[in-house]
Amino acid sequence: MFKHWWSWHSFTPLVFVPQQLEHQGQLVDIRQATLQDAQLLDSIQKQVYAVPPWQLATFYSELANRRRLYLLAQTPTHVIGFIGCDFFERAHITYLAILPHDQHQGWGHLLLQVMIDYCQNFDYPELTLEVDYNNQAAQKLYLQLGFQPIKLLKNYYPMIHHDAIFMSRPLTKE
């Protein structure tokens, strides 16, 4: 039933060692988000989406789930965004949000690459995600990082009546 050596009952909480990276001449800290960051993640999504897809309670639940890992990116002066991933029967990106004034500057690419690198520590064959059919910029980013469209998911985002594209990329240790 389970493809990996752990079961959902005994899943060891995920641990991410904080990283400090340089991006476009700026230092950025990437760290694991905690329950104390739930309101911050909610605040970010409210700035990114006209109709936020999640409630604050969802962030608390996600951050408390031992199978989920959320990473937060921040410079010395401000928060940039976050990415989340579920690790159960597959590695699956659950959320990627970059604040509007930081979009189109490579921050999403950086966060996604950090998560891809982290995922390659496990024996998952692929990393998957869903992307809004109307979000061309995100689709372009995912294609650049090796994701391929698999199928169209009709009315995946019912609150805004949008379809999604299910995408996947192989995870290979290099």
Side-chain angles (χ1 to χ4, degrees):
M1 179 174 176
F2 295 101
K3 296 179 182 177
H4 303 284
W5 58 269
W6 58 77
S7 75
W8 70 274
H9 293 290
S10 64
F11 196 86
T12 303
L14 295 160
V15 177
F16 178 82
V17 177
Q19 298 178 17
Q20 188 171 68
L21 305 171
E22 187 174 338
H23 179 70
Q24 297 182 350
Q26 295 184 66
L27 289 178
V28 59
D29 291 311
I30 312 289
R31 67 169 176 85
Q32 186 168 350
T34 67
L35 279 172
Q36 291 74 25
D37 295 312
Q39 290 184 341
L40 176 59
L41 301 187
D42 186 53
S43 171
I44 292 169
Q45 79 155 350
K46 286 176 179 173
Q47 294 175 64
V48 173
Y49 297 103
V51 179
W54 288 3
Q55 301 293 320
L56 176 60
T58 306
F59 284 109
Y60 279 110
S61 176
E62 289 287 299
L63 292 167
N65 189 323
R66 296 183 307 172
R67 295 178 321 168
R68 304 282 196 317
L69 176 68
Y70 282 79
L71 303 179
L72 194 58
Q74 56 194 107
T75 68
T77 59
H78 72 284
V79 172
I80 295 164
F82 69 93
I83 189 169
C85 192
D86 175 59
F87 295 87
F88 186 48
E89 298 208 0
R90 62 181 175 197
H92 182 78
I93 299 295
T94 56
Y95 217 117
L96 175 59
I98 304 297
L99 286 170
H101 61 275
D102 290 311
Q103 291 178 3
H104 309 291
Q105 299 176 36
W107 294 111
H109 187 282
L110 178 76
L111 266 178
L112 192 52
Q113 187 61 61
V114 169
M115 188 61 81
I116 290 168
D117 293 345
Y118 183 85
C119 290
Q120 289 176 331
N121 292 316
F122 302 96
D123 62 350
Y124 294 101
E126 65 183 349
L127 177 62
T128 61
L129 56 81
E130 295 91 13
V131 60
D132 190 316
Y133 182 82
N134 299 316
N135 191 339
Q136 298 298 314
Q139 290 177 45
K140 181 179 176 184
L141 167 65
Y142 300 142
L143 289 169
Q144 288 172 348
L145 285 166
F147 286 87
Q148 295 299 313
I150 304 298
K151 65 181 173 181
L152 182 68
L153 305 171
K154 299 297 280 180
N155 202 32
Y156 185 80
Y157 302 104
M159 291 179 68
I160 55 174
H161 308 290
H162 285 192
D163 298 336
I165 300 171
F166 182 78
M167 301 182 82
S168 177
R169 87 176 294 280
L171 287 173
T172 55
K173 293 183 181 181
E174 298 177 22

